[in-house]
mmCIF file of all heavy atoms in Angstrom:
data_model
loop_
_atom_site.group_PDB
_atom_site.id
_atom_site.type_symbol
_atom_site.label_atom_id
_atom_site.label_comp_id
_atom_site.label_asym_id
_atom_site.label_seq_id
_atom_site.Cartn_x
_atom_site.Cartn_y
_atom_site.Cartn_z
ATOM 1 N N GLU W 88 8.581 1.345 -8.580
ATOM 2 C CA GLU W 88 7.579 0.318 -8.783
ATOM 3 C C GLU W 88 6.292 0.994 -9.423
ATOM 4 O O GLU W 88 5.929 2.038 -8.965
ATOM 5 C CB GLU W 88 7.186 -0.408 -7.595
ATOM 6 C CG GLU W 88 8.393 -1.277 -6.913
ATOM 7 C CD GLU W 88 8.660 -2.517 -7.712
ATOM 8 O OE1 GLU W 88 7.849 -2.930 -8.602
ATOM 9 O OE2 GLU W 88 9.741 -3.035 -7.646
ATOM 10 N N PRO W 89 5.636 0.344 -10.455
ATOM 11 C CA PRO W 89 4.387 0.902 -10.991
ATOM 12 C C PRO W 89 3.300 1.123 -10.067
ATOM 13 O O PRO W 89 2.531 2.089 -10.155
ATOM 14 C CB PRO W 89 4.086 -0.058 -12.060
ATOM 15 C CG PRO W 89 5.307 -0.799 -12.409
ATOM 16 C CD PRO W 89 6.093 -0.848 -11.164
ATOM 17 N N GLU W 90 3.159 0.279 -9.042
ATOM 18 C CA GLU W 90 2.100 0.423 -8.014
ATOM 19 C C GLU W 90 2.277 1.604 -7.113
ATOM 20 O O GLU W 90 1.322 2.101 -6.576
ATOM 21 C CB GLU W 90 2.022 -0.778 -7.137
ATOM 22 C CG GLU W 90 1.600 -2.063 -7.865
ATOM 23 C CD GLU W 90 2.743 -2.832 -8.542
ATOM 24 O OE1 GLU W 90 3.895 -2.207 -8.532
ATOM 25 O OE2 GLU W 90 2.577 -3.936 -9.071
ATOM 26 N N ASN W 91 3.477 2.165 -7.040
ATOM 27 C CA ASN W 91 3.857 3.333 -6.154
ATOM 28 C C ASN W 91 3.975 4.590 -6.879
ATOM 29 O O ASN W 91 4.341 5.599 -6.299
ATOM 30 C CB ASN W 91 5.102 2.967 -5.297
ATOM 31 C CG ASN W 91 4.952 1.696 -4.491
ATOM 32 O OD1 ASN W 91 3.900 1.274 -4.097
ATOM 33 N ND2 ASN W 91 5.999 1.016 -4.278
ATOM 34 N N ALA W 92 3.769 4.564 -8.214
ATOM 35 C CA ALA W 92 3.954 5.805 -9.024
ATOM 36 C C ALA W 92 3.049 6.943 -8.639
ATOM 37 O O ALA W 92 3.387 8.025 -8.854
ATOM 38 C CB ALA W 92 3.837 5.461 -10.453
ATOM 39 N N ALA W 93 1.851 6.518 -8.068
ATOM 40 C CA ALA W 93 0.935 7.639 -7.672
ATOM 41 C C ALA W 93 1.523 8.491 -6.542
ATOM 42 O O ALA W 93 1.123 9.595 -6.461
ATOM 43 C CB ALA W 93 -0.290 6.981 -7.265
ATOM 44 N N LEU W 94 2.505 8.064 -5.807
ATOM 45 C CA LEU W 94 3.083 8.919 -4.835
ATOM 46 C C LEU W 94 4.125 9.821 -5.301
ATOM 47 O O LEU W 94 4.519 10.764 -4.675
ATOM 48 C CB LEU W 94 3.684 7.951 -3.635
ATOM 49 C CG LEU W 94 2.753 6.983 -3.085
ATOM 50 C CD1 LEU W 94 3.592 6.140 -2.032
ATOM 51 C CD2 LEU W 94 1.718 7.626 -2.327
ATOM 52 N N TYR W 95 4.691 9.572 -6.457
ATOM 53 C CA TYR W 95 5.713 10.355 -7.009
ATOM 54 C C TYR W 95 5.305 11.484 -8.091
ATOM 55 O O TYR W 95 5.859 12.547 -8.138
ATOM 56 C CB TYR W 95 6.769 9.434 -7.720
ATOM 57 C CG TYR W 95 7.987 10.168 -8.353
ATOM 58 C CD1 TYR W 95 9.070 10.539 -7.494
ATOM 59 C CD2 TYR W 95 8.047 10.401 -9.658
ATOM 60 C CE1 TYR W 95 10.159 11.145 -8.042
ATOM 61 C CE2 TYR W 95 9.118 11.070 -10.254
ATOM 62 C CZ TYR W 95 10.149 11.391 -9.373
ATOM 63 O OH TYR W 95 11.270 12.114 -9.943
ATOM 64 N N PHE W 96 4.258 11.105 -8.933
ATOM 65 C CA PHE W 96 3.902 11.916 -9.974
ATOM 66 C C PHE W 96 2.608 12.691 -9.469
ATOM 67 O O PHE W 96 1.783 12.205 -8.733
ATOM 68 C CB PHE W 96 3.571 11.206 -11.173
ATOM 69 C CG PHE W 96 4.706 10.518 -11.777
ATOM 70 C CD1 PHE W 96 4.971 9.171 -11.571
ATOM 71 C CD2 PHE W 96 5.614 11.239 -12.611
ATOM 72 C CE1 PHE W 96 6.194 8.539 -12.158
ATOM 73 C CE2 PHE W 96 6.762 10.705 -13.152
ATOM 74 C CZ PHE W 96 7.031 9.382 -12.909
ATOM 75 N N PRO W 97 2.477 13.968 -9.991
ATOM 76 C CA PRO W 97 3.310 14.675 -10.905
ATOM 77 C C PRO W 97 4.494 15.294 -10.103
ATOM 78 O O PRO W 97 4.383 15.690 -8.960
ATOM 79 C CB PRO W 97 2.442 15.802 -11.428
ATOM 80 C CG PRO W 97 1.451 16.054 -10.402
ATOM 81 C CD PRO W 97 1.151 14.681 -9.657
ATOM 82 N N GLU W 98 5.635 15.348 -10.784
ATOM 83 C CA GLU W 98 6.832 15.874 -10.209
ATOM 84 C C GLU W 98 6.645 17.420 -9.826
ATOM 85 O O GLU W 98 7.121 17.815 -8.734
ATOM 86 C CB GLU W 98 8.010 15.751 -11.115
ATOM 87 C CG GLU W 98 8.374 14.294 -11.397
ATOM 88 C CD GLU W 98 9.552 14.164 -12.231
ATOM 89 O OE1 GLU W 98 10.267 15.202 -12.401
ATOM 90 O OE2 GLU W 98 9.867 13.060 -12.835
ATOM 91 N N GLN W 99 5.978 18.115 -10.730
ATOM 92 C CA GLN W 99 5.680 19.610 -10.482
ATOM 93 C C GLN W 99 4.177 19.719 -10.193
ATOM 94 O O GLN W 99 3.418 18.836 -10.703
ATOM 95 C CB GLN W 99 6.099 20.402 -11.691
ATOM 96 C CG GLN W 99 7.636 20.221 -12.043
ATOM 97 C CD GLN W 99 8.525 20.772 -10.940
ATOM 98 O OE1 GLN W 99 8.209 21.684 -10.265
ATOM 99 N NE2 GLN W 99 9.747 20.157 -10.918
ATOM 100 N N SER W 100 3.800 20.742 -9.548
ATOM 101 C CA SER W 100 2.402 20.922 -9.277
ATOM 102 C C SER W 100 1.654 21.314 -10.572
ATOM 103 O O SER W 100 2.122 22.205 -11.187
ATOM 104 C CB SER W 100 2.233 22.099 -8.209
ATOM 105 O OG SER W 100 2.837 21.698 -6.992
ATOM 106 N N VAL W 101 0.564 20.626 -10.937
ATOM 107 C CA VAL W 101 -0.126 20.739 -12.180
ATOM 108 C C VAL W 101 -1.635 20.827 -11.880
ATOM 109 O O VAL W 101 -2.131 19.835 -11.316
ATOM 110 C CB VAL W 101 0.170 19.646 -13.183
ATOM 111 C CG1 VAL W 101 -0.564 19.881 -14.522
ATOM 112 C CG2 VAL W 101 1.646 19.595 -13.455
ATOM 113 N N ASP W 102 -2.289 21.893 -12.229
ATOM 114 C CA ASP W 102 -3.735 22.070 -12.051
ATOM 115 C C ASP W 102 -4.140 21.709 -10.728
ATOM 116 O O ASP W 102 -5.189 20.978 -10.424
ATOM 117 C CB ASP W 102 -4.438 21.162 -13.037
ATOM 118 C CG ASP W 102 -4.217 21.583 -14.482
ATOM 119 O OD1 ASP W 102 -3.867 22.761 -14.737
ATOM 120 O OD2 ASP W 102 -4.233 20.718 -15.413
ATOM 121 N N GLY W 103 -3.425 22.160 -9.673
ATOM 122 C CA GLY W 103 -3.756 21.989 -8.280
ATOM 123 C C GLY W 103 -3.438 20.658 -7.760
ATOM 124 O O GLY W 103 -3.723 20.331 -6.587
ATOM 125 N N GLN W 104 -2.788 19.764 -8.529
ATOM 126 C CA GLN W 104 -2.396 18.385 -8.139
ATOM 127 C C GLN W 104 -0.941 18.487 -7.659
ATOM 128 O O GLN W 104 -0.089 18.982 -8.360
ATOM 129 C CB GLN W 104 -2.557 17.395 -9.253
ATOM 130 C CG GLN W 104 -4.023 17.160 -9.533
ATOM 131 C CD GLN W 104 -4.087 16.002 -10.578
ATOM 132 O OE1 GLN W 104 -3.264 15.763 -11.330
ATOM 133 N NE2 GLN W 104 -5.237 15.241 -10.564
ATOM 134 N N GLU W 105 -0.753 17.884 -6.577
ATOM 135 C CA GLU W 105 0.654 17.792 -5.915
ATOM 136 C C GLU W 105 0.892 16.338 -5.489
ATOM 137 O O GLU W 105 0.011 15.629 -5.143
ATOM 138 C CB GLU W 105 0.712 18.658 -4.677
ATOM 139 C CG GLU W 105 0.520 20.096 -4.842
ATOM 140 C CD GLU W 105 0.474 20.863 -3.505
ATOM 141 O OE1 GLU W 105 -0.363 20.587 -2.713
ATOM 142 O OE2 GLU W 105 1.421 21.746 -3.450
ATOM 143 N N ASN W 106 2.128 15.984 -5.674
ATOM 144 C CA ASN W 106 2.595 14.672 -5.189
ATOM 145 C C ASN W 106 2.639 14.718 -3.685
ATOM 146 O O ASN W 106 2.601 15.795 -2.987
ATOM 147 C CB ASN W 106 3.800 14.124 -5.857
ATOM 148 C CG ASN W 106 5.106 14.972 -5.416
ATOM 149 O OD1 ASN W 106 4.986 15.763 -4.540
ATOM 150 N ND2 ASN W 106 6.167 14.848 -6.256
ATOM 151 N N LEU W 107 2.912 13.538 -3.093
ATOM 152 C CA LEU W 107 2.791 13.421 -1.636
ATOM 153 C C LEU W 107 3.872 14.172 -0.896
ATOM 154 O O LEU W 107 3.594 14.802 0.133
ATOM 155 C CB LEU W 107 2.903 11.932 -1.297
ATOM 156 C CG LEU W 107 2.780 11.543 0.272
ATOM 157 C CD1 LEU W 107 1.442 12.037 0.781
ATOM 158 C CD2 LEU W 107 2.954 10.105 0.533
ATOM 159 N N PHE W 108 5.111 14.215 -1.349
ATOM 160 C CA PHE W 108 6.048 14.859 -0.673
ATOM 161 C C PHE W 108 5.902 16.354 -0.794
ATOM 162 O O PHE W 108 6.262 17.105 0.289
ATOM 163 C CB PHE W 108 7.554 14.497 -1.316
ATOM 164 C CG PHE W 108 8.665 15.093 -0.599
ATOM 165 C CD1 PHE W 108 8.908 14.634 0.709
ATOM 166 C CD2 PHE W 108 9.491 16.089 -1.132
ATOM 167 C CE1 PHE W 108 9.962 15.227 1.494
ATOM 168 C CE2 PHE W 108 10.552 16.652 -0.409
ATOM 169 C CZ PHE W 108 10.798 16.125 0.838
ATOM 170 N N ARG W 109 5.389 16.933 -1.854
ATOM 171 C CA ARG W 109 5.102 18.382 -1.871
ATOM 172 C C ARG W 109 4.113 18.790 -0.826
ATOM 173 O O ARG W 109 4.077 19.832 -0.226
ATOM 174 C CB ARG W 109 4.706 18.771 -3.203
ATOM 175 C CG ARG W 109 5.886 18.810 -4.177
ATOM 176 C CD ARG W 109 5.418 19.442 -5.529
ATOM 177 N NE ARG W 109 6.532 19.503 -6.485
ATOM 178 C CZ ARG W 109 7.453 20.406 -6.511
ATOM 179 N NH1 ARG W 109 7.439 21.399 -5.663
ATOM 180 N NH2 ARG W 109 8.421 20.419 -7.353
ATOM 181 N N ILE W 110 3.096 17.937 -0.664
ATOM 182 C CA ILE W 110 2.033 18.186 0.321
ATOM 183 C C ILE W 110 2.596 18.235 1.746
ATOM 184 O O ILE W 110 2.306 19.094 2.556
ATOM 185 C CB ILE W 110 0.919 17.134 0.215
ATOM 186 C CG1 ILE W 110 0.163 17.241 -1.032
ATOM 187 C CG2 ILE W 110 -0.037 17.223 1.378
ATOM 188 C CD1 ILE W 110 -0.902 16.155 -1.343
ATOM 189 N N ILE W 111 3.418 17.208 1.997
ATOM 190 C CA ILE W 111 4.142 17.199 3.290
ATOM 191 C C ILE W 111 4.971 18.401 3.544
ATOM 192 O O ILE W 111 4.957 19.037 4.633
ATOM 193 C CB ILE W 111 5.001 15.881 3.405
ATOM 194 C CG1 ILE W 111 4.062 14.598 3.396
ATOM 195 C CG2 ILE W 111 5.851 15.872 4.648
ATOM 196 C CD1 ILE W 111 4.850 13.295 3.310
ATOM 197 N N MET W 112 5.818 18.789 2.616
ATOM 198 C CA MET W 112 6.740 19.906 2.756
ATOM 199 C C MET W 112 5.910 21.209 2.928
ATOM 200 O O MET W 112 6.289 22.135 3.705
ATOM 201 C CB MET W 112 7.703 20.039 1.622
ATOM 202 C CG MET W 112 8.782 18.917 1.599
ATOM 203 S SD MET W 112 9.844 18.863 3.116
ATOM 204 C CE MET W 112 10.693 20.441 2.907
ATOM 205 N N ARG W 113 4.863 21.342 2.165
ATOM 206 C CA ARG W 113 4.014 22.568 2.275
ATOM 207 C C ARG W 113 3.422 22.663 3.766
ATOM 208 O O ARG W 113 3.449 23.745 4.349
ATOM 209 C CB ARG W 113 2.878 22.576 1.315
ATOM 210 C CG ARG W 113 1.855 23.684 1.416
ATOM 211 C CD ARG W 113 0.992 23.681 0.199
ATOM 212 N NE ARG W 113 0.364 22.405 -0.082
ATOM 213 C CZ ARG W 113 -0.731 21.945 0.504
ATOM 214 N NH1 ARG W 113 -1.305 22.729 1.497
ATOM 215 N NH2 ARG W 113 -1.321 20.842 0.172
ATOM 216 N N LEU W 114 2.879 21.547 4.276
ATOM 217 C CA LEU W 114 2.375 21.595 5.634
ATOM 218 C C LEU W 114 3.366 21.857 6.707
ATOM 219 O O LEU W 114 3.211 22.526 7.681
ATOM 220 C CB LEU W 114 1.670 20.290 5.887
ATOM 221 C CG LEU W 114 0.471 19.918 5.023
ATOM 222 C CD1 LEU W 114 -0.043 18.592 5.234
ATOM 223 C CD2 LEU W 114 -0.654 20.940 5.206
#
Side-chain angles (χ1 to χ4, degrees):
E88 295 287 342
E90 294 85 352
N91 303 328
L94 302 178
Y95 182 81
F96 294 100
E98 297 180 15
Q99 305 295 330
S100 300
V101 179
D102 297 333
Q104 290 185 334
E105 299 177 296
N106 64 14
L107 182 60
F108 186 65
R109 286 190 180 276
I110 294 175
I111 293 173
M112 290 300 294
R113 173 169 54 81
L114 296 172

